[in-house]
Amino acid sequence: MNTVKIAQNARNAANKLQYVTTQEKSVALDKIKNILTDKKQDIFKANRQDKENAEKLVNAELLSVSLFKRLDLEKGDKFDTMLKGISDIDQLPDPTGQITYSSKLDEGLELYRVTCPVGVLLVIFEARPEVVVNISALAIKSGNSVILKGGKESAFSLNALSTAIRSALADTVIPSDAIQLVETREEIKSLLDLDEYIDLVIPRGSNSLVKYIQSNTRIPVLGHADGLCSVYVDKDADLDKAVRIVVDSKVNYPAACNSAETLLVNRSILSTHLIPIATALQNANVRLHLDSESLSHLPTPTTNSSLIQECVTEDFDTEFLDLDIAVKVVGNVEEAIQHINSHGSKHTDSIVTENDQVAKRFMQGVDAAGVYWNASTRFADGFRYGFGAEVGVSTNKTHARGPVGLEGLVIYKYKLCGNGHIVGEFGEGSGKKKYLHENVDGTCKTVL
Amino acid sequence: MNTVKIAQNARNAANKLQYVTTQEKSVALDKIKNILTDKKQDIFKANRQDKENAEKLVNAELLSVSLFKRLDLEKGDKFDTMLKGISDIDQLPDPTGQITYSSKLDEGLELYRVTCPVGVLLVIFEARPEVVVNISALAIKSGNSVILKGGKESAFSLNALSTAIRSALADTVIPSDAIQLVETREEIKSLLDLDEYIDLVIPRGSNSLVKYIQSNTRIPVLGHADGLCSVYVDKDADLDKAVRIVVDSKVNYPAACNSAETLLVNRSILSTHLIPIATALQNANVRLHLDSESLSHLPTPTTNSSLIQECVTEDFDTEFLDLDIAVKVVGNVEEAIQHINSHGSKHTDSIVTENDQVAKRFMQGVDAAGVYWNASTRFADGFRYGFGAEVGVSTNKTHARGPVGLEGLVIYKYKLCGNGHIVGEFGEGSGKKKYLHENVDGTCKTVL
């Protein structure tokens, strides 16, 4: 199918979704869950085809083992977790239809700001087949239609899953075209031109993917870039907390975007804090890329010398996504803030200190989606934040920032209800009406 | 100055603005108001230079009279209104520092979502000198730094005004570089590349300007495009309300983006409603561009025949911004919604009907920033909505929609306060902690 047709179908589906009730969305989510349960073996069969193809690539060292593992839908309770995710999303409050502002402009003239779906989403994601189910459920719950493009290694799985979802929708008031799959980069390229039909692009993946998309579309982009997170150990840091937080931030899941890539240490605590922190990191097999000052404070390594090396400038702009961390000495919290604002990716940064005024300074000054005090950067996650689900993590400065839940998939419209009101009757001068801007009485109630 | 330096200065100013209190912003706004009062004669002198240059262009028919009028700062109470705008903005609640979400994730681990400035704004606007004062006040109140580019016809006035504002800031904790002026299109072109420093572009002006900017930057754009608004007169419309609303929507200020450009009339009321509405429009000197069906229902004109003509297809995609309106007959509310969603600009559309279920359908189905029931489209305005001030009107589907007040200039960050908390202690299995997601106790209080 050509991409204009795909985009038009998505827009038509989005138009119909404006009228769908919370109850009808719930029915649809339930049907999707049931059909995926029924089709489990077919889906596993498709998943095996993807895995067979991927295995050859892994053997030829053309694909990483970690990517291969992410492909696997049969592993552990992954399939059941995926299904439970649909129920979890169903249980969340409907993000549309919420009144976020109201004002009585005149007798009988009432203004309401009401949340509503964004419209048509284009979501590009990695080769993790369960994401198609997760995003479909989020899109339906928020009343959006979505065009999905997943990593090509998961093509068979995505096809099986989206076919099942579409057939479930065929039996509901929600059009099947609310969920559409595209498979090629050429289709994405051409969809990026269709700002007439598509309202928001959500690329999950590498920084270069996000930058490419931002540079090649007029459609707003919710940037889900990788993360370059830092932990700053202040002069008033508690040593035990510092060790715990630095190690967890780095080691808990090094490939995640909310893992720390940079450690900033206050100069005045080098002799007390640096060695215990460095030792704990080395014990966890982390390679330290140290600036000359921090390096000079570590004893000449006897063991694990491969885990100690002098840093290069680029280390402070590198997302290692592995057991590596860059270490830099700073003089005070201002220098830490300045370093983070220059080198970080506005994702999540943490300060370890017992001084609340220094913590406050850090949390005001650091320009990031998450600013933490005495906590691991790894908490930056929609589930941990209590959103129930996440579309991704945004390092944008507009619309939605940080872990994005259903709220990032809605916008609002202003509903104004009058009784023949015209602007010409308002103004300065005698006989003219003035705007009231009072609490509303409920004139609009029947149409909200 | 080169544009990289300008953008860096703006970023440095934005970093400092993170720490500025509501009280300090208030002092700065007051100083700006005082200095503009003191420099009034100098500003008028600069404004006269602009007007002298513009007058030559008007005489040579290279500039419209309406643009010339907008240039004039000395006219009526324009200067005083501009100053009053500063005080009005000062009186508004500070849009930053508001807590919009909070959750206790664990004992001693509390999450807060707190509003904060977007950062660095780039605002491009028409040749209306007072806008520089208005936007500067909004930027300061919301804690953003701003790079401003106004219409070239107002160059002397803009320079005088921004110089005064910067000198006022020099005497406060807010850096003068919070407000910077650029004067050429080449500078804009080069600033659009600097997504490293600039967070949001707000172009006020023509659709083609907005599209050009959206196509040439990775920076998010808050589109302030022109408006193609419609009024739909339903079969259950009250005739008197229909006449009032159609006339006000078209005639009250035809050059405004919230004026109606299209009139949709239900087929079943052509014989009762069309002639009175058409007559009222003609009496207001409005030229009707009618489809063949509506044309056939009007009597052959005896007078004012120049105000009646058959429409061409493009009329329904044209922003006349003048005393012209396209008229089309539709069979029902669904056809009206479909026409608006295909031809409108997602700005503001109104239905006239006494049937609240039809009104509800229209307000759900029309994809626009404003959906009105029995009210003129001309109400779409930040002052009328009660926002005190507006940056512009957004036809975007993300971040901010409709008239944008201070709220459109802020985003949020997540502040997480712990006590050495790490992710590794949470999870399934025995001995692991579970996330609480309860109401907060106030752990973060000292750092918010």
Side-chain angles (χ1 to χ4, degrees), chain A residues 211 214, chain B residues 191-199 217-219:
Chain A
K211 288 251 178 200
Q214 286 171 328
Chain B
L191 288 167
L192 291 176
D193 275 336
L194 303 176
D195 57 326
E196 185 184 347
Y197 303 113
I198 299 171
D199 297 304
T217 188
R218 288 188 297 269
I219 307 168

Side-chain angles (χ1 to χ4, degrees), chain A residues 162-177:
Chain A
S162 66
T163 302
I165 293 169
R166 286 170 57 90
S167 70
L169 291 179
D171 201 20
T172 72
V173 297
I174 298 174
S176 295
D177 284 341

Side-chain angles (χ1 to χ4, degrees), chain A residues 206-380:
Chain A
S206 67
N207 246 321
S208 58
L209 171 73
V210 176
K211 288 251 178 200
Y212 167 80
I213 287 172
Q214 286 171 328
S215 303
N216 287 280
T217 188
R218 286 187 298 268
I219 307 169
V221 179
L222 194 67
H224 174 265
D226 297 330
L228 206 159
C229 305
S230 300
V231 178
Y232 165 57
V233 180
D234 183 53
K235 75 178 168 58
D236 295 322
D238 175 274
L239 176 58
D240 179 51
K241 291 178 193 170
V243 171
R244 284 164 57 82
I245 289 166
V246 172
V247 172
D248 189 79
S249 296
K250 178 70 259 180
V251 174
N252 182 260
Y253 185 14
C257 62
N258 56 13
S259 288
E261 309 292 7
T262 297
L263 169 64
L264 302 171
V265 186
N266 189 290
R267 181 164 292 124
S268 62
I269 53 155
L270 286 177
S271 56
T272 51
H273 288 49
L274 182 62
I275 294 179
I277 294 171
T279 305
L281 285 169
Q282 289 173 81
N283 289 344
N285 225 25
V286 177
R287 178 178 293 110
L288 307 177
H289 304 243
L290 301 124
D291 70 348
S292 57
E293 190 174 357
S294 55
L295 185 61
S296 72
H297 275 78
L298 288 187
T300 313
T302 50
T303 56
N304 273 340
S305 64
S306 69
L307 294 180
I308 296 270
Q309 63 186 65
E310 185 156 3
C311 69
V312 291
T313 317
E314 305 84 69
D315 285 338
F316 294 102
D317 300 298
T318 301
E319 298 166 64
F320 298 111
L321 296 171
D322 209 336
L323 289 170
D324 289 86
I325 196 163
V327 184
K328 183 186 167 85
V329 178
V330 294
N332 52 42
V333 69
E334 305 302 336
E335 277 184 44
I337 293 168
Q338 207 175 345
H339 178 91
I340 292 169
N341 286 347
S342 306
H343 297 273
S345 68
K346 302 184 197 297
H347 191 298
T348 305
D349 302 284
S350 184
I351 182 171
V352 186
T353 185
E354 297 302 299
N355 182 325
D356 61 357
Q357 287 314 299
V358 172
K360 181 175 181 172
R361 187 88 188 159
F362 181 88
M363 292 164 96
Q364 278 186 296
V366 168
D367 183 19
V371 284
Y372 290 5
W373 176 29
N374 287 341
S376 165
T377 58
R378 288 274 297 135
F379 283 106

Side-chain angles (χ1 to χ4, degrees), chain A residues 100-118:
Chain A
T100 59
Y101 177 83
S102 63
S103 180
K104 177 167 147 181
L105 308 190
D106 186 26
E107 289 307 330
L109 184 66
E110 294 195 347
L111 178 73
Y112 293 80
R113 184 169 68 199
V114 186
T115 60
C116 63
V118 165

Side-chain angles (χ1 to χ4, degrees), chain A residues 241 366 369 397 413-414 419, chain B residues 118 241 366 369 413-414 419:
Chain A
K241 291 178 193 170
V366 168
K397 301 283 292 283
K413 52 167 76 165
Y414 288 94
N419 190 25
Chain B
V118 165
K241 291 178 193 169
V366 167
K413 51 168 75 168
Y414 288 94
N419 190 26

